[in-house]
Amino acid sequence: MTQNAEHVLDHFELFRGPEYQQMLANKKTLFENPHDPAEVERIREWAKTPEYREKNFAREALTVNPAKACQPLGAVFVAVGFEGTLPFVHGSQGCVAYYRSHLSRHFKEPSSCVSSSMTEDAAVFGGLNNMIDGLANTYNMYKPKMIAVSTTCMAEVIGDDLNAFIKTAKEKGSVPAEYDVPFAHTPAFVGSHVTGYDNALKGILEHFWDGKAGTAPKLERKENGKINFIGGFDGYTVGNIREIKRIFELMGIEYTILADNSDVFDTPTDGEFRMYDGGTTLEDAANAIHAKATISMQQYCTEKTLPFIENHGHEVAAFNHPVGVSATDDFLMTLSRISGKPIAKALEQERGRLVDAMADSSAHIHGKKFAIYGDPDLCYGLASFLLELGAEPTHVLSTNGSKAWAEKMEALFASSPFGKNCHAYPGKDLWHMRSLLFTEPVDFLIGNTYGKYLERDTGTPLIRIGFPVFDRHHHHRYPVWGYQGGMNVLVKILDKIFDEIDKNTNVPAKTDYSFDIIR
Amino acid sequence: MSLATTQSVAEIKARNKQLIDEVLKVYPEKTAKRRAKHLNVHEAGKSDCGVKSNLKSIPGVMTIRGCAYAGSKGVVWGPIKDMIHISHGPVGCGQYSWAARRNYYIGTTGIDTFVTMQFTSDFQEKDIVFGGDKKLAKIIDEIQELFPLNHGITIQSECPIGLIGDDIEAVSKVKSKEYDGKTIVPVRCEGFRGVSQSLGHHIANDAVRDWIFDKVNPEAKPAFESTPYDVAIIGDYNIGGDAWSSRILLEEMGLRVIAQWSGDGSLAELEATPKAKLNVLHCYRSMNYISRHMEEKFGIPWCEYNFFGPSKIAESLRKIASFFDDKIKEGAERVIAKYQPLMDAVIAKYRPRLEGKTVILFVGGLRPRHVIGAYEDLGMEVVGTGYEFGHNDDYQRTAQHYVKDGTLIYDDVTGYEFERFVEKIQPDLVGSGIKEKYVFQKMGVPFRQMHSWDYSGPYHGYDGFAIFARDMDMAINSPIWKKTKAPWKDAPRPSLMAAE
């Protein structure tokens, strides 16, 4: 018997005992019809070869381990960033269970969202009744200030018309006529979660600025000198948005964060569950039309929203998830130029400290090769930071990256001597990345939690930066933007590098001459 | 101490009834009428819990339920390790369910096993407009080329498949023929079908019947010699290794487990199951269908069992043994005796720390009833329970064998109801899922995820019970729950003070 009341064995120890090992071996040989171990080994080795890579890259139909999710996830992420807002996803209910679980697993926070629970009859007759009942129930039960509607692919395939449905629901008294129910069609078979972010944010701004679906006069823009800020879909939203607020305040700029979900994904444990917390007030969302300019931190999360805003007379500027010195410089200089306010002394000092830290540690990063995967903007931001550090972002892969993104990446590589042998892979998945790591190995891999399978199979150490991160806790609370954020990313990368050096130099009397106490 | 211990059953019943009336007030009239049928206070001696179940969830109420795809790909088929399960449709469903359910297995992932991978057809607009059958055919070719050691393929339909009129059955047949009779299973588990995960389980069971059992060549040479003691474990998904800590007990009592459904399971095990002398069924909800089918078609009896906590384990081992000869009956007694000292030690250590603590559950499958015995072994009391996607037969089993008089029962509970119930009852522990975990922890209520075992487990079997007891203790007695109120704020709520 292996289990013990005094020292309870967990799954990772329990099943290694001889009784379980024997049992599992018997199960395999007698009942599983296993392949010959030599054949398994042969295929395992074959799957590492350039020949396999060629076949793998010739795939036209199959996707294996993609690094993207679907549109409504992004829509839900946006919706909870508005004060007292409940996301309402029109379509099958299982989808909503998935978004809520996914967000909760990353943020370790509640994630509130409702579904219109469409089933077979709605597939035949349309989901109008689900919208009518659903809005009424949500409004009465959860008392939201706003209900932001998006769609699952089911509702999109059958062609439900949100504008008409919401109008009818209001006529039937589900919610008051003047109650805010912005909406966005978010088909899962177009784009990814970053597209859903874009569509949902545009839907909400359109609602407030352009006459609430024909029920109110359009707003007249009267410039007030403020700056709107859009973070984009971001696993670090909690830390990042707080950092951005600090920067705005240091510079004395008046600002509006649009879709500010930094509080709702970081509520305290103090005896009270807050379904809603913080968020952009509805008044601020409407008044955002009067801003002087709007800044998007992630170009590919705002491809429709930003032109929409520009058409309302704003100056707009888009960044690509800026990380590090130069990207932050650009961001701050843009802020300064638009606002007419100088860059704060305190930020200048922070810049100096980041440069100082990079100088102190660059010897350990310089020349190291990295593979990066994730959302298109994040990939760009991380790659440009690595180039600043003298590292080579050899493989940069984005499942939801477009051809235009890849061109932009190639231009970035061309701008630096360290980008010489680097390539961008748009529309590829993590099974492609596996082949890349086997055939053109790198020193480190940067990606989300799913990268741990690549780490296991290829031995490339994984630095977890991205979304989702399920198996490490609380990193979303720390910014990766601003000079402070750059510092966090630097330390995260360095920690992994040093851990690896120690791991590779710790065999007594063999390798531990290099087990240095000072590095 | 919790409220329940200081109140009479009559008082508890009155409070629970009042609670139900209170939560119903929030709903519009039509919804209140519908929800009222799903809420009840259990009366001892009744044959069921007095709630309606397996009905459509109401739009907009924040149901905790999932969909048919989740029931098929996520629960039944996904754990079959040597087959490749294609999430057929847009990317999201496969992404959100990717490796989230902790179905442990042994194998070289990506080479001969594939459970923790996400294979998807990643539908684009053109696939919706022109149909996805050609793409599916090509996907199967690409799988054959890149994953040559796969033993079979299943096609897990997402919502659009059934709406755009794709013929995945035809593609499966053609491709199966092309690849020498390869097992290719089309599953019509589109998420809009039915009212919850439950129909997905049923559809998945039927797919095993139609596309595995019906295609097994009865003349084929047996892979192993049958024995009179061959059984199959049905309805254990090996969450954190549950099926393994169960299998070891069956084997120690002298039985031979020829198949696991479906945690750490393989196609060969599915195919061999009709050779079992007895099917032992843990998750009745998700796999009773195939058990009944095997009973009708192959004459294999089935027997429900419960491997949570020593009382139910011993009862179950004896019940299973009763289908066999004395050798096995003695084996069961031997196993029970062997683990008795471990169980005594676990209970001696943890029961004093947990005695009298109250629990509120809301889970799926078998757990809303099956875990009650394990809590009782630790001196704890389940004061409220409900099923995410149960049917009336689940509530019958619950009423007849598990819950106490006055227990609060809630079917397909809504976020609002659950929150109010916990707020008013103030249990010492809530057991539910990831969507609920942080809600209750914010409220200062200890919580354990009872789907994923909160990344712990196994909880099944004797080895699992030690972990279960340890986990419940660490949840309830964590020092952190004393820190939720800042010391300069008011003392705890008056209701709690009164109970103490």
Side-chain angles (χ1 to χ4, degrees), chain B residues 278-345:
Chain B
L278 176 72
N279 282 325
V280 299
L281 176 58
H282 208 238
C283 183
Y284 170 86
R285 181 70 276 129
S286 59
M287 285 198 174
N288 77 85
Y289 317 101
I290 200 71
S291 306
R292 291 176 198 280
H293 171 72
M294 284 191 266
E295 183 178 40
E296 278 164 33
K297 180 143 188 202
F298 308 110
I300 306 170
W302 52 281
C303 151
E304 286 176 66
Y305 70 107
N306 178 348
F307 270 7
F308 289 101
S311 303
K312 288 291 170 189
I313 297 172
E315 191 183 310
S316 294
L317 289 174
R318 289 183 176 122
K319 186 171 160 196
I320 291 167
S322 73
F323 286 80
F324 296 93
D325 59 15
D326 285 351
K327 186 186 140 198
I328 300 299
K329 287 181 185 128
E330 283 155 23
E333 296 307 324
R334 196 174 58 242
V335 171
I336 293 165
K338 174 184 165 186
Y339 286 93
Q340 196 60 51
L342 173 67
M343 292 300 98
D344 291 345

Side-chain angles (χ1 to χ4, degrees), chain A residues 18-241:
Chain A
E19 290 137 326
Y20 278 107
Q21 286 298 304
Q22 186 61 51
M23 179 187 90
L24 292 170
N26 287 347
K27 174 180 185 293
K28 182 174 181 180
T29 42
L30 275 170
F31 304 113
E32 291 182 3
N33 182 28
H35 292 282
D36 178 353
E39 178 66 359
V40 174
E41 198 44 37
R42 189 183 71 79
I43 298 294
R44 199 168 79 88
E45 287 302 321
W46 170 64
K48 299 175 180 174
T49 61
E51 181 204 341
Y52 188 90
R53 170 179 165 164
E54 199 175 310
K55 286 178 192 293
N56 192 10
F57 272 76
R59 265 190 283 144
E60 289 174 356
L62 173 66
T63 298
V64 184
N65 298 353
K68 67 170 180 181
C70 67
Q71 279 209 48
L73 182 77
V76 170
F77 184 90
V78 163
V80 297
F82 289 87
E83 183 197 15
T85 297
L86 198 54
F88 180 111
V89 189
H90 181 56
S92 299
Q93 70 191 17
C95 314
V96 167
Y98 278 143
Y99 316 139
R100 295 179 65 204
S101 304
H102 208 64
L103 292 167
S104 283
R105 285 175 179 139
H106 174 82
F107 289 109
K108 317 294 179 201
E109 290 289 322
S111 171
S112 300
C113 176
V114 295
S115 164
S116 66
S117 295
M118 286 166 66
T119 55
E120 282 113 325
D121 52 344
V124 177
F125 302 111
L128 176 60
N129 288 331
N130 299 68
M131 180 70 78
I132 294 169
D133 292 348
L135 287 180
N137 287 324
T138 302
Y139 180 77
N140 282 290
M141 292 173 72
Y142 299 111
K143 317 273 188 272
K145 285 205 165 80
M146 173 164 93
I147 300 174
V149 179
S150 56
T151 48
T152 78
C153 56
M154 179 211 184
E156 287 300 320
V157 171
I158 66 173
D160 278 4
D161 179 348
L162 291 182
N163 190 16
F165 280 19
I166 293 166
K167 204 165 158 244
T168 308
K170 284 186 167 182
E171 283 162 14
K172 301 252 179 195
S174 297
V175 295
E178 69 286 357
Y179 184 77
D180 291 312
V181 188
F183 62 89
H185 288 274
T186 50
F189 44 82
V190 176
S192 72
H193 56 289
V194 304
T195 323
Y197 182 101
D198 195 11
N199 284 332
L201 184 56
K202 178 167 170 277
I204 289 169
L205 295 180
E206 212 165 3
H207 170 83
F208 285 110
W209 297 2
D210 284 356
K212 305 194 172 186
T215 64
K218 292 188 179 189
L219 298 182
E220 287 275 336
R221 178 165 176 262
K222 293 184 200 107
E223 204 203 289
N224 61 11
K226 282 186 162 187
I227 295 180
N228 296 329
F229 177 92
I230 301 170
F233 193 100
D234 177 21
Y236 298 90
T237 186
V238 170
N240 274 343
I241 288 190

Side-chain angles (χ1 to χ4, degrees), chain A residues 81 87 172 190 206 211 269 299 330 349 396 403 436:
Chain A
K172 301 252 179 195
V190 176
E206 212 165 3
T269 284
Q299 176 192 351
D330 285 349
Q349 281 188 328
V396 181
K403 266 194 189 146
L436 290 174

Side-chain angles (χ1 to χ4, degrees), chain B residues 175-355:
Chain B
K175 284 289 156 188
S176 173
K177 205 171 270 174
E178 195 181 319
Y179 292 108
D180 304 320
K182 183 181 190 66
T183 300
I184 301 179
V185 183
V187 191
R188 286 288 181 176
C189 54
E190 289 89 344
F192 62 82
R193 293 189 198 278
V195 304
S196 67
Q197 293 92 314
S198 185
L199 188 65
H201 305 141
H202 198 154
I203 291 167
N205 278 221
D206 288 353
V208 177
R209 178 193 69 200
D210 297 343
W211 297 84
I212 307 262
F213 284 172
D214 286 1
K215 295 192 185 306
V216 172
N217 179 4
E219 309 298 312
K221 199 172 130 282
F224 55 82
E225 290 287 321
S226 281
T227 77
Y229 304 120
D230 290 355
V231 300
I233 293 177
I234 309 288
D236 190 323
Y237 301 102
N238 208 29
I239 312 289
D242 280 338
W244 294 335
S245 55
S246 302
R247 182 186 185 106
I248 202 161
L249 302 180
L250 298 175
E251 295 195 343
E252 281 179 355
M253 72 192 265
L255 297 171
R256 189 172 78 155
V257 179
I258 63 166
Q260 274 178 217
W261 290 51
S262 52
D264 194 34
S266 56
L267 176 62
E269 288 167 76
L270 295 184
E271 289 174 342
T273 307
K275 292 181 190 154
K277 302 298 185 292
L278 176 72
N279 282 325
V280 299
L281 176 58
H282 208 238
C283 183
Y284 170 86
R285 181 70 276 129
S286 59
M287 285 198 174
N288 77 85
Y289 317 101
I290 200 71
S291 306
R292 291 176 198 280
H293 171 72
M294 284 191 266
E295 183 178 40
E296 278 164 33
K297 180 143 188 202
F298 308 110
I300 306 170
W302 52 281
C303 151
E304 286 176 66
Y305 70 107
N306 178 348
F307 270 7
F308 289 101
S311 303
K312 288 291 170 189
I313 297 172
E315 191 183 310
S316 294
L317 289 174
R318 289 183 176 122
K319 186 171 160 196
I320 291 167
S322 73
F323 286 80
F324 296 93
D325 59 15
D326 285 351
K327 186 186 140 198
I328 300 299
K329 287 181 185 128
E330 283 155 23
E333 296 307 324
R334 196 174 58 242
V335 171
I336 293 165
K338 174 184 165 186
Y339 286 93
Q340 196 60 51
L342 173 67
M343 292 300 98
D344 291 345
V346 168
I347 288 170
K349 182 174 175 187
Y350 292 107
R351 187 163 177 143
R353 304 165 61 83
L354 297 169
E355 187 85 50

